[in-house]
Amino acid sequence: MKSHTSLAVTVACLATAGIGLSSPAGAQARPAPTQDITVYVDDAAPEAATADSRAGQGSFQASTVAEAQRIAEASRARNVTIRLAPGVYPPIDWSYGARGGRITVEGAGAASIRTSADGSAASGAADASPPAATVVRCSRAASEYGVRVRAGDANATVSGMTIEKCRHGGVYVKGASSVKVRGNVIRYIGSKHVSQGDPKKEGFGGIHLQGASRATISDNRFFYLENNGRSPAGVHGVYAANNADRTVVENNRFGYISGDPVRFRHGSDNARVTSNRFWRTGFAAIVSDWRFGGGSEKCGKGTVLKNNIAGNRTYTNKKYYPDASRNTVKATMRKWGKGDFEARNIGGCNPAPITFAGGNKWSGSRPW
């Protein structure tokens, strides 16, 4: 895609709004923080479509996400919305965030999955899900995640995009609170889909939360998250780790994931996993809580499963067993343990980290 929106145009727009990107020492006082701004990112926008008419209203035009971040930093805005036009974008790495504010990165909206009259998917192609018009594609070996948000104490929202062909994961959020990841298509993640780079590096999660609290993961589609190297079980649809508390996983679809589709790790407590659909996914369980680190990590607690429907076969087409078998190596709906997946390492938490609240079912056919 060719860039038509120049940085000079954006600088002029910022000046019109009373926001300076930089100034010599003593030449101008630093501008007061702005409450809300929206930056429209479109590298195909005509140069005439500048932010001049929006200036003063907290709206700007940028040709890249990196440029949008410079605008946000200069404005010192509390709440920043980045709206991506339809198109294909390189990986996004966002680090600006005002304490207590919200960072929103949103695409043009995900297409709905085509369904037949009975509510099942209309064709095999629907498994991969029609892409959103805004696509973030990892095209370089160094591009381990599609969207990284490291915004400190800010809240964060990521929505309406297709994120694909990344080695480690689709969305990575570290340390933010009140996280919302919704309406995305996350597909072709993991070492099976990224041939270049270090073959020892494999996938972790379609959505990877590190110490991010109060996350809501909703209305996303996860398909073909697969490792083919040393750790096929190491990639997950949602991976909430290191005290990522109060995560809500609801109304998502998970298909063809070589590891457990929902994984909690190291004291990630009080999650709710509700009204999701799973098909041909999982290694040990549909939802698992796991510990590593040679005994230094702790069990989770308080996670509740309700109204989920899961296909009765794992990713490798092995049978899922009733929950009474959870303390064996047989695959079940829930499981917890530590270290390597061996019988002696399964269990070991009291109380149980994961409990049922009714309405969870197995299905012999794809449940959408």
Side-chain angles (χ1 to χ4, degrees):
M1 293 185 291
K2 186 177 180 181
S3 175
H4 299 283
T5 308
S6 68
L7 181 59
V9 169
T10 304
V11 172
C13 300
L14 285 165
T16 303
I19 298 171
L21 280 173
S22 63
S23 57
Q28 180 179 338
R30 190 180 186 190
T34 302
Q35 184 69 11
D36 304 291
I37 68 167
T38 299
V39 185
Y40 296 83
V41 178
D42 185 357
D43 76 349
E47 190 166 326
T50 71
D52 286 334
S53 62
R54 297 173 179 154
Q57 302 176 21
S59 298
F60 306 96
Q61 188 85 40
S63 58
T64 67
V65 175
E67 186 180 339
Q69 180 150 254
R70 291 195 293 270
I71 293 170
E73 290 168 348
S75 72
R76 301 169 60 196
R78 175 180 172 83
N79 302 309
V80 179
T81 298
I82 307 301
R83 292 186 175 170
L84 305 176
V88 179
Y89 294 81
I92 294 168
D93 192 348
W94 189 272
S95 59
Y96 171 80
R99 185 180 181 87
R102 177 164 291 280
I103 306 302
T104 299
V105 183
E106 61 184 21
S112 61
I113 293 178
R114 294 180 297 111
T115 57
S116 59
D118 65 359
S120 61
S123 69
D127 281 333
S129 193
T134 300
V135 178
V136 175
R137 182 176 297 148
C138 297
S139 58
R140 306 185 308 275
S143 302
E144 305 291 8
Y145 289 94
V147 178
R148 287 163 58 99
V149 179
R150 299 171 293 164
D153 293 323
N155 306 313
T157 297
V158 177
S159 68
M161 291 179 275
T162 292
I163 304 168
E164 63 184 17
K165 297 184 178 180
C166 304
R167 182 180 294 276
H168 280 346
V171 178
Y172 175 87
V173 181
K174 183 176 181 179
S177 60
S178 188
V179 177
K180 301 181 188 301
V181 185
R182 61 195 180 202
N184 300 286
V185 176
I186 300 175
R187 61 185 188 174
Y188 309 129
I189 301 296
S191 59
K192 182 175 180 177
H193 304 286
V194 181
S195 58
Q196 70 270 38
D198 186 347
K200 295 181 181 179
K201 292 185 176 180
E202 299 187 322
F204 294 128
I207 297 173
H208 187 175
L209 306 174
Q210 282 273 18
S213 63
R214 293 182 291 127
T216 298
I217 313 300
S218 61
D219 302 303
N220 301 285
R221 308 294 184 256
F222 303 85
F223 293 109
Y224 302 106
L225 281 57
E226 302 162 293
N227 284 338
N228 61 359
R230 299 172 306 158
S231 182
V235 65
H236 313 284
V238 176
Y239 182 29
N242 299 339
N243 302 301
D245 295 335
R246 290 177 286 174
T247 300
V248 175
V249 182
E250 62 182 0
N251 196 36
N252 302 282
R253 293 182 186 177
F254 300 84
Y256 310 101
I257 300 172
S258 60
D260 301 343
V262 181
R263 162 64 62 85
F264 300 99
R265 176 181 172 183
H266 187 28
S268 296
D269 300 337
N270 300 316
R272 289 192 295 114
V273 181
T274 63
S275 302
N276 301 284
R277 303 293 182 264
F278 305 88
W279 178 247
R280 285 296 172 88
T281 181
F283 178 82
I286 297 296
V287 180
S288 57
D289 186 286
W290 221 256
R291 311 178 313 280
F292 295 94
S296 62
E297 295 190 354
K298 59 184 179 180
C299 297
K301 60 183 180 182
T303 291
V304 176
L305 277 57
K306 184 177 181 180
N307 294 335
N308 300 286
I309 301 178
N312 59 8
R313 294 279 172 172
T314 69
Y315 171 79
T316 56
N317 200 31
K318 294 181 179 179
K319 179 183 176 181
Y320 274 107
Y321 286 84
D323 185 66
S325 304
R326 67 181 180 275
N327 287 330
T328 76
V329 294
K330 293 179 179 179
T332 53
M333 186 168 286
R334 61 173 183 166
K335 199 178 293 291
W336 50 91
K338 64 180 182 180
D340 295 336
F341 186 68
E342 301 174 0
R344 63 190 177 90
N345 291 336
I346 296 172
C349 296
N350 188 18
I354 306 167
T355 59
F356 294 119
N360 300 291
K361 301 177 182 178
W362 295 110
S363 175
S365 59
R366 188 169 57 195
W368 58 77

